[in-house]
Amino acid sequence: MTINISEILSNPSVIKIYDVEPTLDRVKLRRSSYKVAYKEPFTLHVAKNNDKVHITGKTVLDLFIPCDRCLDDVKNHFHIEIDYDVIPNKEPDGIEDDEQSFMDGCILDVDKLITNEIVVALPSKVLCKEDCRGLCTICGTNLNHKECSCDRHVADPRMAAIQDIFKNFNQ
């Protein structure tokens, strides 16, 4: 969803309140894409403060993120608080200005604004449950759902020389 804020930019005394309903179906990042399970409509306050535009709002969003061990989708709940001071019509000239990618002239892209907040709030590790057993390294079976008959015993590599001696001795 985009909002034209040209009226605010031309008149410093105008404060606008927008009822916003995000149009995000997926949150797309560089290496992954997450399905949006729930998105809550919210109110966005936009006001001009000297040469900056002040943007505030709060919303809630749920994403399905795959478990790091078994790849089952896990619903993650995000409380998003938007609080930005943006200099309009400023060309990004560095990494810190990348956060202004949601502004293009007088057009405010609400979905990009929300995506920026989600990127910061993403958890470093997602597990479906604390004792997730993950996937079988041999056949790929999800060990939380069923057991497989693969031999997953990993021998200690420090004992490989001694095991070779025992194998040669038994022959």
Side-chain angles (χ1 to χ4, degrees):
M1 174 177 197
T2 59
I3 299 173
N4 187 340
I5 60 168
S6 59
E7 182 182 348
I8 296 167
L9 295 176
S10 62
N11 187 350
S13 63
V14 173
I15 297 173
K16 284 282 202 172
I17 298 173
Y18 298 95
D19 291 324
V20 178
E21 186 159 341
T23 57
L24 285 169
D25 291 328
R26 297 191 79 73
V27 173
K28 295 175 185 148
L29 307 176
R30 282 191 180 139
R31 297 184 183 180
S32 55
S33 175
Y34 306 123
K35 185 178 180 206
V36 175
Y38 172 75
K39 53 192 173 191
E40 190 173 282
F42 66 103
T43 303
L44 193 68
H45 298 264
V46 183
K48 189 168 183 185
N49 184 7
N50 297 327
D51 62 337
K52 296 180 180 178
V53 175
H54 188 70
I55 304 166
T56 58
K58 292 181 183 180
T59 188
V60 173
L61 193 86
D62 291 342
L63 295 179
F64 285 122
I65 300 176
C67 173
D68 286 336
R69 292 185 189 158
C70 69
L71 302 178
D72 279 349
D73 280 338
V74 180
K75 189 185 250 185
N76 283 264
H77 191 71
F78 294 92
H79 289 280
I80 298 171
E81 292 191 30
I82 298 166
D83 189 3
Y84 280 100
D85 282 322
V86 180
I87 300 173
N89 300 322
K90 182 182 177 220
E91 291 294 320
D93 59 359
I95 295 172
E96 65 270 355
D97 289 336
D98 189 39
E99 69 182 20
Q100 291 188 19
S101 64
F102 54 83
M103 284 285 293
D104 185 16
C106 60
I107 304 297
L108 173 66
D109 189 335
V110 177
D111 292 342
K112 283 185 181 178
L113 182 67
I114 292 170
T115 301
N116 285 355
E117 293 299 313
I118 289 172
V119 167
V120 175
L122 280 173
S124 59
K125 187 165 192 84
V126 175
L127 295 176
C128 59
K129 55 186 177 181
E130 198 65 33
D131 60 341
C132 176
R133 296 179 60 210
L135 301 175
C136 172
T137 56
I138 309 298
C139 69
T141 299
N142 186 333
L143 299 173
N144 295 315
H145 300 301
K146 69 177 188 174
E147 193 63 42
C148 65
S149 59
C150 298
D151 181 20
R152 293 186 306 274
H153 176 72
V154 178
D156 188 345
R158 298 172 293 182
M159 298 296 287
I162 295 174
Q163 289 174 349
D164 289 342
I165 292 171
F166 282 125
K167 285 180 187 174
N168 291 337
F169 182 71
N170 287 336
Q171 290 178 354

